[in-house]
Structure formats: C-alpha cells, structure tokens
Amino acid sequence: MDKPEISFVVPLYNESKVFPLLIQRLNALMDSTTQPIEVVLVDDGSRDNTAQLMHFLALEDDRYQCIFLSRNYGHQLALSAGLSVINATQAVMIIDGDLQDAPELFFDFYQHFLKGYDVVYAVRKKRKEGYIKKVAYHAFYRLLRSISYAEIPLDSGDFSLISKRVVDLLNQMPEESRFIRGMRSWIGFKQIGIEYDRQERAAGDSKYSFKMLFKLAYNGIFNFSKIPIKLITVLGITSILLSLVYFGITLFRKFVYHDVPTGFTALLFVMILFGGVQLVSLGVIGEYVLRIFFQVKNRPLFIIKNRIVGKKLINE
Ligand code: UDP
Ligand code: MG
C-alpha cells in the first residue's frame, strides 16, 4: 500500500457487535476514493472477541493497522495510543467505533482541511441519547466553557479531522490525564466546527459508564481551569472582610447602644476571621501547587505557526 495521506483512528472496547458494520462502512468509504487511507484500530483491552476480529482483518487487508493494548486504559488513552502510530502524511480522522460519528463526514471535513484548517471538529446539533445524559453533557460543556482558560468549543467531542502537525503536537504533550478535545483546542491554529446530527449507536451498549463520564468531566475541568484554586482565596478574603464588617457593627452597637452580649461576639469574630485566614493560606499553597501542576504537564510553552527568516516564509 502507498504511504497513506489520511489515517482514521478508531478506539474499540468490546465492540464485536458493531465491528462488522464498522468495517463495512470503512471499506465502502475507502473503496469510494482514490485517496490512500489507512485505518488504525486500537483494541483497548476488550474482553469479548473484538481483538480476534481485528487480528483476522489486519492479516488479510493491509489498509488496516491494528494495535492491541495490554489492558483497558479508557477511551482517551486508547485514542492517544492510536495517534502515536499513524502513518498519515496529511491528516488524521478521529471517530468512535460505534458509528455514532458517521465516517463519511470525512469528505466534508477534508474540504475544510484543504482550505487551510488544521482542526475540523464536529459539533452535535442533536443528541440521540438518554435525557439525563443529554442534560449532563449540556451543563458540563457550558460549565467548562465558563471556567476554562482554553477556548473549548461547546458540544464537540473528539470526532474531528486534525492535521498531521496537530497530531505531532498532541503526541508531544506528555500529560497523563488526557482530555483530548481540550488539548486539541489549546494547540490553536485555524479551527472550525461543523454541525451534524449525532446518530444512535449502531449496535451494542455504551462503554462509557457514568463513573467514566464523570472522570472525563473532572479531567476537563481540572486540567483546563485555574478557577477552583483561585476560588479558595476569594472565599478566604470574603470571609475576612465579613468578619471585619461584623466587628465594626459590633463596636458601633457597643458604644452607641450598649446592647452587645459579651463573649459571644468575640468568639464569632475570631471564628470567621481565622476561617478566612485559613482559606487564604490554603489559596496561597494552592497557587504554588497550580504552578507545579502546570510545570509537570511539560507542555510546549508555545507553538509557532510560521516564521519569516531572510525574506523566506517558513511553515513550522
Ligand atoms: N472506548 C474505549 N475504551 C473504553 C471505553 C470506550 O476504547 O474504556 C471506545 C468505544 O469502543 C467507542 C468509543 O470509545 O468506540 C466511545 O465510547 P462509547 O460509544 O461507549 O461512548 P458514548 O458514545 O456512549 O459516550
Ligand atoms: Mg458512542
């Protein structure tokens, strides 16, 4: 097979029910174009026979590259594993294995890629999922948007077409708790969201339990915001100010109206004051922890898009 221009990366965990449908769709897609495409299937430690099916397929069709993880690592790491082995020269299409993300949208996405977008991501117009999940997703993306320092687009998952250079950058980001849709938008360059209707799962059940969704949401919030720690300091300062106001009012009442109960006031004042002092101290420690946290992520400090040196434009 020629060097592929495009790689599809598909993480799979216990997906033997959808597997035949998935391969059918991917084969049809590859047969319908002359563009050299490879598909990277990642087995995330499946307990059913997904790995076997992958094995047979990859042995007879060299457009498929299969990797098998030693155990179940979860969607984000399985995806990262896939991204680390792609051979594409141009771009990578990330899809879920359950056909909720129509692989054929690649052709639309690719048109935008050709216009110079490094990241073309899908934005869900409608979700065909349970009510609770829908509400939870909706709330989560809005919360994340309001507190995050990276501009993470609303209602978009990992389903996207990303340029080779963005893949290389993702591979260079060694952070251990990965929230790929956030890292992807942090990287920058030109990005565009395309609306689509998210389909129902073609077969089988969701592999994301509520616990895993929660963990993903947690990673999103704590990896991409500083606000929770900053909030401690704000709370502390508010508490100290309140105690001072309370102290002022008490003094006023004592000297003007002489109606202040003794003992109780002093106790309350000291409690609120020191509560505040403790919170501020925690906030200070938090600031240092935050700096350590960002340092150990070991991300590149900045990403240069291009340069002009000696009258020549150099694209990095
Ligand atoms: N997945 C995975 N490892 C896991 C859980 C899920 O590789 O531990 C894969 C799964 O096979 C699917 C994709 O991640 O291809 C998205 O999972 P799922 O469809 O279950 O999530 P949902 O769409 O319900 O959020
Ligand atoms: Mg799904």
Side-chain angles (χ1 to χ4, degrees), residues 135-207:
V135 172
Y137 267 117
H138 190 85
F140 165 67
Y141 279 112
R142 271 131 200 102
L143 173 71
L144 185 61
R145 165 78 146 226
S146 61
I147 67 174
S148 163
Y149 59 81
E151 233 185 72
I152 300 175
L154 294 173
D155 302 316
S156 67
D158 295 322
F159 183 23
S160 55
L161 180 71
I162 55 183
S163 68
K164 174 72 168 47
R165 65 174 170 178
V166 169
V167 177
D168 290 343
L169 285 162
L170 280 175
N171 289 339
Q172 276 170 36
M173 289 160 78
E175 57 207 72
E176 170 266 351
S177 55
R178 301 178 87 74
F179 185 65
I180 292 176
R181 58 203 76 165
M183 293 156 70
R184 183 185 72 200
S185 72
W186 180 86
I187 284 176
F189 298 124
K190 270 173 81 174
Q191 310 208 355
I192 187 170
I194 306 292
E195 287 200 331
Y196 82 118
D197 283 322
R198 188 157 213 232
Q199 301 304 306
E200 270 169 89
R201 230 178 199 280
D205 301 314
S206 171
K207 305 298 175 297

Side-chain angles (χ1 to χ4, degrees), residues 31-91:
D31 293 341
S32 72
T33 169
T34 51
Q35 193 166 29
I37 295 177
E38 77 166 347
V39 175
V40 177
L41 300 176
V42 183
D43 167 46
D44 187 16
S46 296
R47 285 171 228 273
D48 64 357
N49 61 345
T50 304
Q52 263 166 306
L53 295 170
M54 285 167 55
H55 206 106
F56 288 132
L57 175 70
L59 289 182
E60 67 180 35
D61 190 338
D62 71 351
R63 297 174 302 184
Y64 287 88
Q65 184 192 162
C66 290
I67 58 176
F68 306 87
L69 300 185
S70 60
R71 62 170 171 84
N72 179 244
Y73 285 89
H75 178 221
Q76 298 289 300
L77 286 178
L79 195 55
S80 305
L83 292 176
S84 73
V85 300
I86 54 107
N87 292 307
T89 52
Q90 291 190 358

Side-chain angles (χ1 to χ4, degrees), residues 15 96-101 129 133 198-201 205-208:
E15 299 287 12
D96 279 358
D98 57 5
L99 296 172
Q100 282 193 289
D101 312 330
E129 273 146 336
K133 231 179 175 179
R198 188 157 213 232
Q199 301 304 306
E200 270 169 89
R201 230 178 199 280
D205 301 314
S206 171
K207 305 298 175 297
Y208 256 99

Side-chain angles (χ1 to χ4, degrees), residues 219-262:
N219 278 346
I221 288 171
F222 286 103
N223 285 3
F224 285 92
S225 69
K226 304 171 178 177
I227 289 183
I229 281 185
K230 307 261 179 207
L231 221 54
I232 299 179
T233 314
V234 174
L235 265 176
I237 291 174
T238 315
S239 183
I240 291 176
L241 288 179
L242 273 179
S243 76
L244 291 179
V245 170
Y246 179 67
F247 188 59
I249 294 174
T250 314
L251 278 185
F252 181 74
R253 283 174 57 183
K254 181 169 172 58
F255 290 112
V256 181
Y257 299 112
H258 310 286
D259 70 343
V260 178
T262 47

Side-chain angles (χ1 to χ4, degrees), residues 232-244 269-285:
I232 299 179
T233 314
V234 174
L235 265 176
I237 291 174
T238 315
S239 183
I240 291 176
L241 288 179
L242 273 179
S243 76
L244 291 179
F269 167 68
V270 169
M271 268 174 66
I272 306 178
L273 178 71
F274 279 91
V277 170
Q278 280 175 6
L279 282 177
V280 171
S281 317
L282 271 182
V284 170
I285 294 178

